[in-house]
Amino acid sequence: MAATTIAHNTHNAKLVLLGDMGAGKSSLVLRFVKGQFHEFQESTIGAAFFSQTLAVNDATVKFEIWDTAGQERYHSLAPMYYRGAAAAIIVYDITNAESYARAKKWVQELQKQGNPNMVMALAGNKTDLEDKRKVTTEEARAYAGENGLFFIETSAKTSVNVNDIFYEIAKRLPRAQPAQNPAGMVLVDRPAEGSQAASCCS
Ligand SMILES: Nc1nc2c(ncn2[C@@H]2O[C@H](COP(=O)(O)OP(=O)(O)OP(=O)(O)O)[C@@H](O)[C@H]2O)c(=O)[nH]1
């Protein structure tokens, strides 16, 4: 059982959620971490932190999840959360074309300024509202493919594909990151300032 074997094979992975306000970032996290959904989920202020452990194959991934605020006034805080992150979920609302456009902006920003080895997922949320859909699956899948993102459509309300995003990310995380993490070292959260240059690539 995973619980008895976690000691050697546990990886910490910092994961950040980005996306427009109202896309469903907090709802996806709440569904994944607590199995809950709130029709009137409050808008996030600044960011919120959660952690959740997931057993994948013979390893255990402990996700350290930063749920950022989508309101534009918090945009400048985002680098603090995505710097040093091993993974990002960029969320949009399939019923809202603007939120999809905003998701693409986040992808561009991460491609320019994020960790180059970051595992990125694009999540089209609110699939339970199919009759109000504005962004087609094909369009988003093609975009994700062109940009090397893992693509999935979810519903935090009905739970469809929510755990799957995190499983898929866990599977894609590099087991060993030799350039950045010598053997045996555990990834830890660092304060944002200065962390990107110090840990990055040559
Ligand atoms: N129908 C439906 N509603 C959802 C779904 N996910 C979230 N919502 C609703 O959408 C609204 C916004 O959800 P949040 O999770 O707060 O969105 P957010 O992206 O965290 O928003 P900010 O914190 O403002 O950035 C809430 O009223 C949720 O109940 C979903 O899958 N289906």
Side-chain angles (χ1 to χ4, degrees):
M1 300 283 282
T4 59
T5 57
I6 54 176
H8 292 299
N9 245 340
T10 299
H11 311 269
N12 287 18
K14 179 176 169 183
L15 181 151
V16 63
L17 284 101
L18 298 164
D20 205 1
M21 62 177 287
K25 298 176 294 299
S26 303
S27 299
L28 288 169
V29 176
L30 198 65
R31 175 59 81 189
F32 174 58
V33 173
K34 296 191 177 157
Q36 297 174 357
F37 176 76
H38 301 153
E39 284 290 344
F40 302 101
Q41 178 66 37
E42 280 175 22
S43 192
T44 304
I45 295 168
F49 178 78
F50 300 83
S51 87
Q52 177 68 299
T53 302
L54 201 61
V56 180
N57 302 327
D58 58 342
T60 300
V61 176
K62 185 179 173 211
F63 280 118
E64 297 163 344
I65 302 170
W66 286 100
D67 170 22
T68 65
Q71 291 178 45
E72 187 51 42
R73 69 177 119 148
Y74 297 115
H75 188 158
S76 61
L77 298 180
M80 278 202 310
Y81 301 104
Y82 65 67
R83 268 182 208 147
I89 304 175
I90 298 122
V91 184
Y92 67 94
D93 169 354
I94 65 152
T95 73
N96 181 335
E98 239 174 69
S99 83
Y100 179 60
R102 186 93 174 80
K104 291 182 175 178
K105 289 261 165 64
W106 279 118
V107 172
Q108 280 174 6
E109 181 167 337
L110 290 180
Q111 285 170 339
K112 276 201 208 123
Q113 297 181 57
N115 160 15
N117 302 318
M118 191 185 278
V119 176
M120 283 198 250
L122 180 66
N125 188 39
K126 309 197 187 180
T127 53
D128 55 291
L129 302 176
E130 185 61 42
D131 52 336
K132 298 200 178 111
R133 180 189 281 275
K134 297 281 178 348
V135 183
T136 66
T137 305
E138 294 72 27
E139 178 184 0
R141 180 176 290 131
Y143 172 78
E146 286 157 16
N147 287 275
L149 312 176
F150 159 62
F151 174 64
I152 195 159
E153 288 190 339
T154 57
S155 169
K157 184 169 181 173
T158 66
S159 336
V160 164
N161 283 346
V162 176
N163 288 350
D164 305 61
I165 317 175
F166 294 89
Y167 272 106
E168 288 299 328
I169 287 173
K171 281 199 272 179
R172 285 168 167 77
L173 287 172
R175 278 302 173 84
Q177 300 175 329
Q180 294 178 27
N181 306 297
M185 189 183 277
V186 176
L187 265 178
V188 291
D189 247 338
R190 295 209 205 141
E193 60 278 4
S195 63
Q196 83 283 36
S199 64
C200 196
C201 9
S202 54

